[in-house]
């Protein structure tokens, strides 16, 4: 859990939760966030990557 502030492309302040799975060769994350400013209050993101 955390809080973040972004200045680009538009100012945002938000709270988020991130769940991650980190293994030897790859990783995956799921993020759920709520913006405290603006018309779109909820967002989510999925991230994956490879390690070498």
């Amino acid at each position: 859990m955390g809080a973040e502030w972004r200045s680009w492309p538009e100012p945002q302040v938000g709270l988020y939760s991130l769940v991650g799975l980190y293994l030897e060769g790859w990783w995956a994350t799921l993020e759920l966030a709520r913006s405290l400013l603006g018309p779109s209050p909820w967002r989510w993101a999925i991230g994956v990557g490879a390690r070498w």
Side-chain angles (χ1 to χ4, degrees):
M1 298 179 86
E4 68 180 358
W5 173 75
R6 295 182 183 189
S7 60
W8 186 87
E10 58 193 41
Q12 284 188 340
V13 176
L15 305 173
Y16 69 92
S17 293
L18 178 77
V19 175
L21 176 63
Y22 299 91
L23 299 175
E24 185 176 329
W26 61 279
W27 56 268
T29 60
L30 174 62
E31 178 181 340
L32 179 62
R34 177 164 178 122
S35 177
L36 300 177
L37 303 172
S40 179
W42 289 97
R43 69 177 172 86
W44 60 274
I46 296 173
V48 294
R51 295 179 176 203
W52 63 86

